[in-house]
Amino acid sequence: MGRVDDMASEEDSKKQRISKYIDENLKQVFSDLVDDDMPDQIVDLLSVLRAQDQERNTKK
Amino acid sequence: MSNLDPKDELVTHLPALRAFALSLTRNRATADDMMQDTVLKAWSNMSKFQPGTNMRAWLFTILRNNFYTSRRKLNREVADIDNVYAEKLAVKPEHDGRLQMMDFKQAFDQLPDEHREALILVGANGFSYEDAGNMCGVATGTMKSRVSRARNKLSELLSLEDDEALELTDAATMAVVGSPRMPST
């Protein structure tokens, strides 16, 4: 019985290691993408939206 | 809860939002279009955002809904994939973990959209199964099942069940992931 428990425990430990490995790689992949430069079209869009808000507030 | 003006807070989430868009679409042009739509929608509907709730989750939800709606409209079963990940790899320093990271990214790319999304939300962003389920409009159990199946598929693609392979990838991963920028907790 103890041997069966040991095997189950080893299997759980291996699954945990695999999950940890996968999650660490996922975080690395995501982190690399977060570091990507923001595209000009988004930066420009934000400028336009801010300007529109400002214009609206001035008119009020 | 953030003390920032919601529109200022939105800007702080944009790098993560873009990373999520790139993970989903795997194509820069499509990701940027999705992002532009999401920013426009969020900005013009900011009054609907409930302060005290998770803005990142709200933004991710808008983006993923855009993505799936657009994909249904275009009826595109096969994504138009560019080399988003490979480009990032090209600027990384040479080290033992490089090949394994490439393998990982290629394996990740082979997962269905719903599984990639589940792993990115739960595994990379740390959302709870419940929150990720709400964001994707599915039950918590369904989200758990997607994450589990996605991990099993990655494990199979990377032969991680093989003890020797896991030993090798563990060492290589620590070379890549165990940097000060990304502590392995």
Side-chain angles (χ1 to χ4, degrees):
Chain A
M1 188 68 184
R3 194 168 170 162
V4 173
D5 285 346
D6 285 349
M7 281 172 68
S9 167
E10 261 179 46
E11 197 58 32
D12 283 349
S13 160
K14 189 173 171 181
K15 277 193 173 171
Q16 279 176 6
R17 282 175 67 207
I18 290 174
S19 292
K20 191 174 172 218
Y21 166 79
I22 288 172
D23 284 357
E24 282 176 345
N25 275 281
L26 281 170
K27 284 175 186 161
Q28 181 64 43
V29 169
F30 197 78
S31 171
D32 286 350
L33 294 177
V34 166
D35 289 342
D36 218 29
D37 288 336
M38 195 55 63
D40 289 344
Q41 73 185 80
I42 303 298
V43 176
D44 293 346
L45 173 66
L46 285 172
S47 301
V48 170
L49 291 171
R50 291 236 184 253
Q52 284 176 347
D53 278 4
Q54 205 166 9
E55 198 180 314
R56 214 170 287 133
N57 289 336
T58 312
K59 280 182 184 169
K60 277 182 186 172
Chain B
M1 183 177 156
S2 170
N3 290 322
L4 280 177
D5 176 281
K7 286 180 177 172
D8 290 333
E9 187 188 344
L10 179 147
V11 175
T12 67
H13 294 297
L14 293 184
L17 186 68
R18 183 149 188 275
F20 183 53
L22 287 168
S23 309
L24 265 187
T25 63
R26 294 165 293 169
N27 176 291
R28 282 180 198 285
T30 311
D32 293 345
D33 287 347
M34 293 284 152
M35 242 198 111
Q36 189 162 322
D37 285 349
T38 304
V39 170
L40 267 174
K41 274 187 187 161
W43 198 276
S44 54
N45 288 287
M46 196 53 85
S47 58
K48 292 180 186 164
F49 173 71
Q50 296 178 324
T53 58
N54 190 328
M55 184 179 280
R56 184 170 293 191
W58 184 62
L59 293 170
F60 278 26
T61 305
I62 296 173
L63 189 134
R64 74 167 299 280
N65 289 345
N66 275 350
F67 171 68
Y68 286 107
T69 303
S70 153
R71 206 183 57 167
R72 270 195 300 273
K73 272 187 196 162
L74 294 170
N75 196 23
R76 278 159 54 175
E77 288 301 316
V78 180
D80 180 15
I81 303 167
D82 67 15
N83 55 348
V84 167
Y85 301 137
E87 277 176 24
K88 294 303 289 181
L89 274 172
V91 298
K92 286 206 158 297
E94 290 285 344
H95 48 53
D96 293 344
R98 183 168 167 168
L99 185 63
Q100 281 77 7
M101 277 303 281
M102 178 76 95
D103 288 346
F104 183 86
K105 288 169 185 184
Q106 284 172 347
F108 182 69
D109 250 358
Q110 291 180 44
L111 299 179
D113 293 342
E114 283 81 4
H115 289 181
R116 279 201 327 281
E117 172 183 69
L119 278 181
I120 284 292
L121 292 176
V122 175
N125 276 277
F127 284 110
S128 66
Y129 288 114
E130 187 182 1
D131 286 346
N134 287 336
M135 291 161 73
C136 298
V138 298
T140 304
T142 304
M143 183 51 64
K144 277 186 186 171
S145 162
R146 283 183 186 175
V147 170
S148 173
R149 276 186 285 155
R151 281 192 179 129
N152 287 343
K153 185 65 186 172
L154 273 181
S155 175
E156 182 192 317
L157 290 169
L158 294 163
S159 307
L160 295 179
E161 289 292 334
D162 173 2
D163 283 325
E164 197 178 332
L166 189 57
E167 293 297 336
L168 280 170
T169 49
D170 267 358
T173 301
M174 290 316 292
V176 180
V177 179
S179 65
R181 195 164 62 90
M182 182 63 60
S184 55
T185 50

